[in-house]
Every structure is written in C-alpha cells, then in structure tokens.
C-alpha cells in the first residue's frame, strides 16, 4: 500500500476565489497529472485534510480520477472535531459535501479545537500514516503557515525514506502552460 499526502497553499494564498476562478482549472489539471503519476507508481490512497485550497482541490481531483482509477481511495483527515466551524456557510457546505464523497473521513483529535498543539499532532499523524507527499509551496512566497509543514516534511525525510514532490510557483506556471497547450490542441 502506498499512501500520498497532498497539502499546501490555502486558497487565499493562491489568490483563488470561487469555483469559476481559472486558477482552479489549472490547479485541478496539475493535481490530476501528479496523482496519475503517483497511481502509476503504485499509490492507492490519497490522504489529505480539509483546508480550503490545495487540500480540497486534491480531493476534487482524486474523486474525478476515480472514474478512470476506481481502486484509488480518498481519505479526509481533520485535525479536530469542529474543524471548519468558523467558516462561512458556503465553505462549511463545501467541506460537508466533500466528506460525503471521500472513501473515509475521521478526526485526528476527538476534541474541539483547544490548542495549537493539535496541529502539530495532526502533522505527526499525517507523516506516520503516509508514504510520500506532494506539497504545493514556494519558499519565496510571502509568509505562509505551509512553511511549518514543509519543515516537518523535510525533517521526517531525514529519518526515513519519504519522497517529497515540491510544486513551487515555477512548476505551477509549467502546468499552466501545459494546460494552455491542451486547449490549443482542440
């Protein structure tokens, strides 16, 4: 069994606003390409969280891929029981919908949010229950909490084999160019 953790930038960090944003189409394209490669290399699970941005988009992409790869499974692991409760109604509804579409969902902590340590425990859980990661992050980006995830991934990879695919802004531009070429081929 090979389990892939996909995480990275939040939607606002990518300037992604709404389902009709053209950036979403490119990000889904990129995620499907990356996940397809992982599936071809033996991945059978996508395990991610429910953050708006890359995590939710990864689940959307994986759910679409399941039409072609029905044995590929999806899991949404949330850091605590009331995750997303502070979001607006539309974003809460999106999270609830994704929960119904994935193959498995659970909370790492069985308590409501009470302490930032829950995020560290969540990261430790994800590292211990996955075999590789795809991280959408650019070290040149403005301040982002994703830097802590990147540091944790690198530290984990120093102690055991744990491949990390880093998708920075340059790689995202390459995906955008590839996607544009597919449109021209029509």
């Amino acid at each position: 069994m090979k389990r892939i953790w996909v995480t990275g930038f939040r939607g606002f960090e990518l300037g992604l606003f709404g389902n009709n944003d053209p950036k979403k189409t490119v990000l889904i394209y990129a995620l499907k390409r990356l996940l397809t490669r992982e599936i071809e290399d033996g991945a059978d699970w996508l395990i991610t969280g429910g953050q708006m941005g890359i995590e939710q988009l990864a689940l959307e992409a994986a759910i679409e891929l399941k039409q072609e790869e029905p044995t590929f499974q999806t899991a949404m692991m949330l850091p605590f029981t009331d995750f997303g409760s502070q979001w607006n109604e539309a974003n809460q509804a999106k999270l609830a919908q994704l929960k119904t579409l994935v193959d498995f969902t659970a909370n790492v902590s069985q308590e409501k949010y009470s302490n930032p340590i829950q995020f560290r425990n969540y990261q430790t859980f994800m590292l211990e229950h996955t075999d590789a990661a795809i991280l959408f992050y650019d070290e040149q980006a403005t301040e982002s909490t994703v830097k802590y995830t990147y540091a944790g991934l690198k530290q984990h990879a120093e102690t055991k084999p744990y491949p990390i695919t880093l998708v920075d802004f340059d790689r995202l531009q390459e995906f955008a160019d590839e996607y544009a070429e597919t449109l021209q081929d029509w």
Side-chain angles (χ1 to χ4, degrees), residues 18-68:
N19 280 328
N20 297 325
D21 191 321
K23 288 180 281 239
K24 178 181 177 181
T25 305
V26 172
L27 289 165
I28 293 286
Y29 172 83
L31 285 158
K32 287 170 90 174
R33 292 281 312 274
L34 292 162
L35 288 171
T36 297
R37 186 187 75 215
E38 293 294 339
I39 292 167
E40 290 169 355
D41 288 343
D44 44 15
W45 276 93
L46 162 66
I47 303 175
T48 192
Q51 285 284 0
M52 291 179 283
I54 292 301
E55 291 180 350
Q56 286 191 9
L57 292 173
L59 288 168
E60 288 181 40
I63 290 164
E64 287 181 28
L65 281 176
K66 284 180 66 101
Q67 296 173 19
E68 302 157 24

Coordinates of all heavy atoms in Angstrom, one line a residue, residues 18-68:
G18 N -13.4 31.4 -5.4 CA -14.6 30.9 -6.1 C -14.3 29.8 -7.1 O -13.2 29.5 -7.5
N19 N -15.4 29.0 -7.4 CA -15.3 27.9 -8.2 C -15.1 28.2 -9.7 O -14.6 27.3 -10.5 CB -16.6 27.0 -8.1 CG -16.5 26.1 -6.9 OD1 -15.5 25.7 -6.5 ND2 -17.7 25.9 -6.3
N20 N -15.3 29.4 -10.1 CA -15.2 29.8 -11.5 C -13.8 30.4 -11.8 O -13.6 30.9 -12.9 CB -16.3 30.7 -12.0 CG -17.6 30.0 -11.9 OD1 -17.7 28.8 -12.1 ND2 -18.7 30.7 -11.5
D21 N -13.0 30.5 -10.8 CA -11.6 31.1 -11.0 C -10.8 30.2 -11.9 O -10.7 29.0 -11.7 CB -11.0 31.2 -9.6 CG -9.7 32.0 -9.6 OD1 -8.9 31.9 -10.6 OD2 -9.5 32.8 -8.7
P22 N -10.3 30.8 -13.0 CA -9.5 30.0 -13.9 C -8.3 29.3 -13.3 O -7.9 28.2 -13.8 CB -9.0 31.0 -15.0 CG -9.7 32.3 -14.7 CD -10.4 32.2 -13.4
K23 N -7.8 29.8 -12.2 CA -6.7 29.2 -11.5 C -7.1 27.8 -11.0 O -6.3 26.9 -10.9 CB -6.1 30.1 -10.4 CG -5.4 31.3 -10.8 CD -4.9 32.1 -9.7 CE -6.0 32.9 -9.2 NZ -6.0 34.3 -9.1
K24 N -8.3 27.7 -10.6 CA -8.8 26.4 -10.1 C -8.7 25.3 -11.2 O -8.3 24.2 -10.9 CB -10.3 26.5 -9.6 CG -10.8 25.2 -9.1 CD -12.2 25.2 -8.7 CE -12.7 23.8 -8.3 NZ -14.1 23.8 -7.9
T25 N -9.0 25.7 -12.4 CA -8.9 24.7 -13.5 C -7.5 24.2 -13.7 O -7.2 23.0 -13.9 CB -9.4 25.3 -14.8 OG1 -10.8 25.8 -14.6 CG2 -9.4 24.4 -16.0
V26 N -6.5 25.1 -13.6 CA -5.1 24.8 -13.8 C -4.7 23.9 -12.6 O -3.9 23.0 -12.7 CB -4.3 26.1 -13.9 CG1 -2.8 25.7 -13.9 CG2 -4.6 26.8 -15.2
L27 N -5.1 24.3 -11.4 CA -4.7 23.5 -10.2 C -5.3 22.1 -10.2 O -4.5 21.1 -9.9 CB -5.1 24.2 -8.9 CG -4.4 25.5 -8.6 CD1 -5.1 26.4 -7.6 CD2 -2.9 25.2 -8.2
I28 N -6.5 22.0 -10.7 CA -7.1 20.6 -10.8 C -6.3 19.8 -11.9 O -6.0 18.6 -11.7 CB -8.6 20.7 -11.1 CG1 -9.4 21.3 -10.0 CG2 -9.1 19.3 -11.6 CD1 -9.6 20.4 -8.8
Y29 N -6.0 20.5 -13.0 CA -5.2 19.8 -14.0 C -3.8 19.3 -13.4 O -3.4 18.2 -13.6 CB -4.9 20.8 -15.2 CG -4.0 20.3 -16.2 CD1 -4.4 19.5 -17.2 CD2 -2.6 20.7 -16.2 CE1 -3.5 19.0 -18.2 CE2 -1.7 20.3 -17.1 CZ -2.1 19.4 -18.1 OH -1.2 18.9 -19.0
A30 N -3.2 20.2 -12.7 CA -1.9 19.9 -12.1 C -2.0 18.7 -11.1 O -1.2 17.7 -11.1 CB -1.3 21.1 -11.4
L31 N -3.0 18.8 -10.3 CA -3.2 17.7 -9.3 C -3.5 16.4 -9.9 O -3.0 15.3 -9.5 CB -4.4 18.1 -8.3 CG -3.9 19.2 -7.3 CD1 -5.1 19.9 -6.7 CD2 -3.1 18.5 -6.2
K32 N -4.4 16.4 -11.0 CA -4.7 15.2 -11.7 C -3.4 14.6 -12.3 O -3.2 13.4 -12.3 CB -5.8 15.4 -12.7 CG -7.1 15.6 -12.1 CD -8.2 16.0 -13.0 CE -8.9 14.9 -13.7 NZ -10.0 15.4 -14.6
R33 N -2.6 15.4 -12.9 CA -1.3 14.9 -13.5 C -0.4 14.3 -12.5 O 0.1 13.2 -12.6 CB -0.6 16.1 -14.2 CG -1.2 16.6 -15.5 CD -1.0 15.8 -16.7 NE 0.4 15.4 -16.9 CZ 1.3 16.0 -17.5 NH1 1.0 17.2 -18.0 NH2 2.5 15.6 -17.6
L34 N -0.3 15.0 -11.3 CA 0.6 14.5 -10.3 C 0.0 13.2 -9.6 O 0.8 12.3 -9.4 CB 0.8 15.6 -9.2 CG 1.6 16.8 -9.6 CD1 1.3 18.0 -8.7 CD2 3.0 16.5 -9.6
L35 N -1.3 13.2 -9.4 CA -1.9 12.0 -8.8 C -1.8 10.8 -9.8 O -1.6 9.7 -9.3 CB -3.3 12.3 -8.3 CG -3.4 13.2 -7.1 CD1 -4.9 13.6 -6.9 CD2 -2.8 12.5 -5.9
T36 N -2.0 11.1 -11.0 CA -2.0 10.0 -12.0 C -0.6 9.4 -12.0 O -0.4 8.1 -12.0 CB -2.3 10.5 -13.4 OG1 -3.7 11.0 -13.4 CG2 -2.2 9.4 -14.5
R37 N 0.5 10.2 -11.9 CA 1.8 9.7 -11.9 C 2.0 8.8 -10.6 O 2.6 7.8 -10.7 CB 2.8 10.8 -11.9 CG 4.3 10.3 -12.0 CD 5.3 11.4 -11.8 NE 5.3 11.8 -10.4 CZ 5.5 13.0 -10.0 NH1 5.8 14.0 -10.8 NH2 5.6 13.3 -8.7
E38 N 1.5 9.3 -9.5 CA 1.6 8.5 -8.3 C 0.8 7.2 -8.4 O 1.3 6.2 -7.9 CB 1.1 9.3 -7.1 CG 1.9 10.5 -6.7 CD 3.3 10.2 -6.2 OE1 3.6 9.0 -5.8 OE2 4.2 11.1 -6.3
I39 N -0.3 7.2 -9.0 CA -1.1 6.0 -9.1 C -0.3 5.0 -10.0 O -0.2 3.8 -9.7 CB -2.5 6.3 -9.7 CG1 -3.4 7.0 -8.7 CG2 -3.2 5.0 -10.2 CD1 -4.6 7.7 -9.3
E40 N 0.3 5.5 -11.1 CA 1.1 4.6 -11.9 C 2.3 4.1 -11.2 O 2.8 3.0 -11.5 CB 1.5 5.4 -13.2 CG 0.4 5.7 -14.1 CD 0.8 6.8 -15.2 OE1 1.9 7.3 -15.2 OE2 -0.1 7.0 -16.1
D41 N 2.7 4.8 -10.2 CA 3.9 4.3 -9.4 C 3.4 3.5 -8.1 O 4.2 3.2 -7.2 CB 4.7 5.5 -8.9 CG 5.5 6.1 -10.0 OD1 5.7 5.5 -11.1 OD2 6.0 7.3 -9.8
G42 N 2.1 3.1 -8.1 CA 1.6 2.3 -7.1 C 0.8 2.9 -5.9 O 0.4 2.2 -5.0
A43 N 0.6 4.2 -6.0 CA -0.2 4.8 -4.9 C -1.7 4.3 -5.0 O -2.2 4.2 -6.1 CB -0.2 6.3 -5.0
D44 N -2.2 4.0 -3.8 CA -3.6 3.6 -3.8 C -4.5 4.4 -2.9 O -5.7 4.2 -2.8 CB -3.8 2.1 -3.5 CG -2.9 1.6 -2.4 OD1 -2.4 2.4 -1.7 OD2 -2.7 0.4 -2.3
W45 N -3.9 5.3 -2.2 CA -4.6 6.2 -1.3 C -4.1 7.6 -1.4 O -2.9 7.9 -1.4 CB -4.5 5.8 0.2 CG -5.4 4.7 0.6 CD1 -5.1 3.4 0.6 CD2 -6.7 4.9 1.2 NE1 -6.2 2.7 1.2 CE2 -7.2 3.6 1.5 CE3 -7.5 6.0 1.4 CZ2 -8.4 3.4 2.0 CZ3 -8.8 5.7 1.9 CH2 -9.2 4.5 2.2
L46 N -5.0 8.6 -1.5 CA -4.8 10.0 -1.2 C -5.3 10.3 0.2 O -6.5 10.0 0.5 CB -5.5 10.9 -2.2 CG -5.6 12.4 -1.8 CD1 -4.2 13.0 -1.8 CD2 -6.5 13.1 -2.7
I47 N -4.4 10.8 1.0 CA -4.8 11.2 2.4 C -4.5 12.6 2.5 O -3.4 13.0 2.3 CB -4.1 10.3 3.5 CG1 -4.4 8.8 3.2 CG2 -4.6 10.8 4.9 CD1 -3.7 7.9 4.2
T48 N -5.5 13.4 2.8 CA -5.3 14.9 3.0 C -6.2 15.4 4.0 O -7.0 14.7 4.6 CB -5.4 15.6 1.6 OG1 -4.9 16.9 1.8 CG2 -6.8 15.6 1.1
G49 N -6.1 16.7 4.2 CA -7.0 17.4 5.2 C -8.2 18.0 4.5 O -8.5 17.7 3.3
G50 N -8.8 19.0 5.2 CA -10.0 19.6 4.6 C -9.8 21.1 4.4 O -10.8 21.8 4.2
Q51 N -8.5 21.6 4.5 CA -8.3 23.0 4.3 C -8.8 23.5 2.9 O -8.6 22.8 1.9 CB -6.8 23.4 4.4 CG -6.3 23.3 5.8 CD -6.7 24.6 6.6 OE1 -7.4 25.5 6.2 NE2 -6.3 24.6 7.9
M52 N -9.3 24.7 2.9 CA -9.7 25.3 1.6 C -8.4 25.6 0.8 O -7.4 26.1 1.4 CB -10.5 26.6 1.8 CG -11.9 26.4 2.3 SD -12.8 27.9 2.6 CE -12.0 28.5 4.1
G53 N -8.3 25.3 -0.4 CA -7.1 25.4 -1.2 C -6.7 24.1 -1.7 O -7.5 23.3 -2.2
I54 N -5.4 23.8 -1.7 CA -4.8 22.6 -2.3 C -5.5 21.3 -1.7 O -5.8 20.4 -2.5 CB -3.3 22.6 -2.1 CG1 -2.7 23.7 -3.0 CG2 -2.7 21.2 -2.5 CD1 -3.0 23.6 -4.5
E55 N -5.7 21.2 -0.4 CA -6.3 20.0 0.1 C -7.6 19.7 -0.5 O -7.9 18.5 -0.9 CB -6.3 20.1 1.6 CG -4.9 20.1 2.2 CD -4.9 20.1 3.8 OE1 -5.9 20.4 4.4 OE2 -3.8 19.9 4.3
Q56 N -8.5 20.6 -0.5 CA -9.9 20.3 -1.0 C -9.8 20.1 -2.5 O -10.5 19.2 -3.1 CB -10.8 21.5 -0.7 CG -11.3 21.5 0.7 CD -12.4 22.4 1.0 OE1 -13.0 23.0 0.1 NE2 -12.7 22.6 2.3
L57 N -8.9 20.9 -3.2 CA -8.8 20.7 -4.7 C -8.2 19.3 -5.0 O -8.6 18.6 -5.9 CB -7.9 21.8 -5.3 CG -8.5 23.2 -5.3 CD1 -7.5 24.2 -5.7 CD2 -9.7 23.2 -6.1
A58 N -7.3 18.8 -4.1 CA -6.7 17.5 -4.3 C -7.8 16.4 -4.2 O -7.8 15.4 -5.0 CB -5.6 17.2 -3.3
L59 N -8.7 16.6 -3.3 CA -9.8 15.6 -3.1 C -10.7 15.7 -4.4 O -11.1 14.6 -4.9 CB -10.6 15.9 -1.9 CG -9.9 15.5 -0.6 CD1 -10.6 16.1 0.6 CD2 -9.7 14.0 -0.5
E60 N -11.0 16.9 -4.8 CA -11.8 17.0 -6.0 C -11.2 16.3 -7.2 O -11.8 15.6 -8.0 CB -12.1 18.5 -6.4 CG -13.0 19.2 -5.4 CD -13.2 20.7 -5.8 OE1 -13.3 20.9 -7.1 OE2 -13.3 21.5 -4.9
A61 N -9.9 16.5 -7.4 CA -9.1 15.9 -8.5 C -9.2 14.4 -8.4 O -9.4 13.7 -9.3 CB -7.7 16.4 -8.6
A62 N -8.9 13.9 -7.2 CA -8.9 12.5 -6.9 C -10.2 11.8 -7.2 O -10.3 10.7 -7.7 CB -8.4 12.2 -5.5
I63 N -11.3 12.5 -6.8 CA -12.6 12.0 -7.0 C -12.9 11.9 -8.5 O -13.5 10.9 -8.9 CB -13.7 12.8 -6.2 CG1 -13.5 12.6 -4.7 CG2 -15.1 12.6 -6.7 CD1 -14.2 13.7 -3.8
E64 N -12.5 12.9 -9.2 CA -12.6 12.8 -10.7 C -11.8 11.6 -11.3 O -12.3 10.9 -12.2 CB -12.2 14.1 -11.3 CG -13.2 15.3 -11.1 CD -12.7 16.5 -11.8 OE1 -12.0 16.5 -12.9 OE2 -13.0 17.6 -11.3
L65 N -10.6 11.4 -10.8 CA -9.8 10.4 -11.3 C -10.3 9.0 -11.0 O -10.0 8.0 -11.7 CB -8.4 10.5 -10.6 CG -7.4 11.5 -11.2 CD1 -6.1 11.5 -10.4 CD2 -7.1 11.2 -12.7
K66 N -11.1 8.9 -9.9 CA -11.7 7.6 -9.6 C -12.6 7.0 -10.7 O -12.7 5.8 -10.7 CB -12.5 7.7 -8.3 CG -11.6 7.8 -7.0 CD -12.4 7.9 -5.8 CE -13.2 6.7 -5.5 NZ -12.7 5.7 -4.5
Q67 N -13.0 7.8 -11.6 CA -13.8 7.3 -12.7 C -12.9 6.4 -13.6 O -13.4 5.4 -14.1 CB -14.4 8.5 -13.5 CG -15.4 9.3 -12.8 CD -15.8 10.5 -13.5 OE1 -15.7 10.6 -14.8 NE2 -16.4 11.5 -12.8
E68 N -11.6 6.8 -13.7 CA -10.7 6.0 -14.5 C -9.9 5.0 -13.7 O -9.4 4.0 -14.2 CB -9.7 7.0 -15.2 CG -10.3 8.0 -16.1 CD -9.4 9.2 -16.3 OE1 -8.2 9.1 -16.1 OE2 -10.0 10.3 -16.6

